[in-house]
């Protein structure tokens, strides 16, 4: 039975490491465990805690939950490796009776001490391979901390870019540019800059998929609310006389289609047209899309 516990523990640790890798360092993938946790909390916030989503708590809480699940799974995995070898393969400080400190709770304690890099030393492995394994757990704990920091440093700039693009679209919507105003060199430049901004947001959704589960709060900074206006601008500019405007409109249309494809493939699963996806995006973020 010892090897069963060891295999189960190793499988849990490797599963978490794989999930971290795909969530944080693989630009075109999203870890299965992190996606499951974040999606479940996002849906829960929609049905049970709408105010939590509206106040922007759903995303941060989901990130904390993912990190907590990662840490807990690593701790349990390593505890399953230690437990079958207790107490014979461990040394105990004076005052601790080995026979009384060989339960799974004690294995969890050792795992927590190692993963947090505390190194208290009251219970330490004496078996050769376990003495190698314990410092490896400390390295995994340090990697988990580093991953959490890097995730935070990556996801919030992505949110800022998304909200900045939404604010730019909001400004344009409030000015109500006419077709004649768009049919100029300045109009072509505006359309081109929007296409470039939407392309950046598409990459952000691929590389920082967790950013989808953050609410944008203010209507002016909600991409889910304003992305349909970019779709409207592309239609409006497609019939322009200026060739540069038509080219910029085509580029904007392509960027919007790519964004819709990414949103649908990763999050919404409507299998609909671009406008259908954007409408679903707005509903999922508690908005009502419109021009």
């Amino acid at each position: 039975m010892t090897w069963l516990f060891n295999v189960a523990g190793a499988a849990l640790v490797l599963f978490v490491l794989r999930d971290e890798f795909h969530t944080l360092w693989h630009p075109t993938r999203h870890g299965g465990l992190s996606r499951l946790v974040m999606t479940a909390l996002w849906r829960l916030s929609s049905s049970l805690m709408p105010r939590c989503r509206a106040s922007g708590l759903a995303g941060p809480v989901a990130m904390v939950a993912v990190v907590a699940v990662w840490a807990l799974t690593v701790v349990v995995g390593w505890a399953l490796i230690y437990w079958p070898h207790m107490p014979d393969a461990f040394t105990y400080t004076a005052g601790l009776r080995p026979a009384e400190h060989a339960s799974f709770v004690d294995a969890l304690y050792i795992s927590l001490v190692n993963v947090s890099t505390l190194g208290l030393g009251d219970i330490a492995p004496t078996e050769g391979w376990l003495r190698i394994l314990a410092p490896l757990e400390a390295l995994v704990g340090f990697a988990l901390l580093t991953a959490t920091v890097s995730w935070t440093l990556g996801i919030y700039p992505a949110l800022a870019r998304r909200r900045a693009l939404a604010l730019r679209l909001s400004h344009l919507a409030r000015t109500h540019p006419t077709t004649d105003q768009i049919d100029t060199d300045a109009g072509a430049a505006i359309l081109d800059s929007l296409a470039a901004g939407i392309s950046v947001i598409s990459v952000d959704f691929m590389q920082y998929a967790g950013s989808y589960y953050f609410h944008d709060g203010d209507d002016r900074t909600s991409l889910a609310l304003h992305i349909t206006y970019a779709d409207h601008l592309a239609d409006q500019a497609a019939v322009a006389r200026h060739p540069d405007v038509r080219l910029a409109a085509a580029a904007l249309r392509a960027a919007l289609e790519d964004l819709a494809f990414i949103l649908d493939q990763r999050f919404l699963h409507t299998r609909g047209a671009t406008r259908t996806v954007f409408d679903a995006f707005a509903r999922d973020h508690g908005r009502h899309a419109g021009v």
Side-chain angles (χ1 to χ4, degrees), residues 165 168-169 172 189-199 230 233 252 255:
L165 176 63
R168 179 164 173 75
L169 287 170
L172 286 170
I190 290 173
L191 295 173
D192 190 58
S193 68
L194 288 178
I198 290 170
S199 297
L233 282 177
L252 178 57

Side-chain angles (χ1 to χ4, degrees), residues 33-279:
L33 179 61
S34 60
R35 179 174 56 189
L36 178 64
V37 171
M38 298 193 83
T39 301
L41 288 175
W42 178 254
R43 302 302 175 210
L44 185 65
S45 72
S46 176
S47 58
L48 300 180
M49 300 174 291
R51 291 184 181 179
C52 174
R53 178 183 287 192
S55 64
L57 290 177
V61 169
M63 281 187 69
V64 171
V66 169
V67 174
V69 169
W70 282 344
L72 180 62
T73 306
V74 165
V75 168
V76 171
W78 242 281
L80 287 173
I81 296 175
Y82 297 142
W83 186 31
H85 305 282
M86 296 178 67
D88 298 335
F90 289 82
T91 182
Y92 296 77
T93 58
L96 292 180
R97 296 181 179 179
E100 296 177 358
H101 295 278
S103 66
F104 185 68
V105 173
D106 296 290
L108 284 175
Y109 165 74
I110 297 171
S111 184
L112 280 168
V113 168
N114 288 335
V115 81
S116 61
T117 68
L118 289 177
L120 298 179
D122 52 344
I123 305 177
T126 56
E127 188 91 14
W129 67 278
L130 286 174
R131 294 181 65 189
I132 300 296
L133 201 64
L136 287 178
E137 183 179 8
L139 288 176
V140 170
F142 182 76
L144 181 61
L145 174 62
T146 304
T148 302
V149 173
S150 66
W151 197 16
T152 303
L153 292 178
I155 207 166
Y156 280 97
L159 290 173
R161 290 189 290 269
R162 186 173 89 194
R163 290 164 182 169
L165 176 63
L167 190 59
R168 179 164 173 75
L169 287 170
S170 173
H171 292 161
L172 286 170
R174 279 183 280 168
T175 61
H176 302 291
T178 64
T179 301
D180 289 338
Q181 289 174 322
I182 293 174
D183 197 3
T184 60
D185 290 337
I190 290 173
L191 295 173
D192 190 58
S193 68
L194 288 178
I198 290 170
S199 297
V200 170
I201 301 307
S202 296
V203 173
D204 284 340
F205 275 127
M206 287 192 295
Q207 191 154 354
Y208 303 104
S211 65
Y212 177 86
Y213 305 104
F214 280 71
H215 197 277
D216 289 319
D218 194 294
D219 283 350
R220 293 172 301 174
T221 58
S222 173
L223 185 64
L225 179 64
H226 294 293
I227 191 62
T228 52
Y229 184 69
D231 193 53
H232 169 72
L233 282 177
D235 289 341
Q236 190 177 0
V239 296
R241 295 184 301 272
H242 199 304
D244 290 345
V245 174
R246 293 198 302 271
L247 178 60
L252 178 57
R253 170 63 59 200
L256 288 167
E257 289 174 353
D258 286 345
L259 176 60
F261 175 78
I262 292 166
L263 288 172
D264 201 46
Q265 183 187 51
R266 287 176 168 252
F267 310 107
L268 298 169
H269 312 295
T270 67
R271 298 183 180 180
T274 298
R275 188 57 183 266
T276 302
V277 174
F278 289 153
D279 288 343

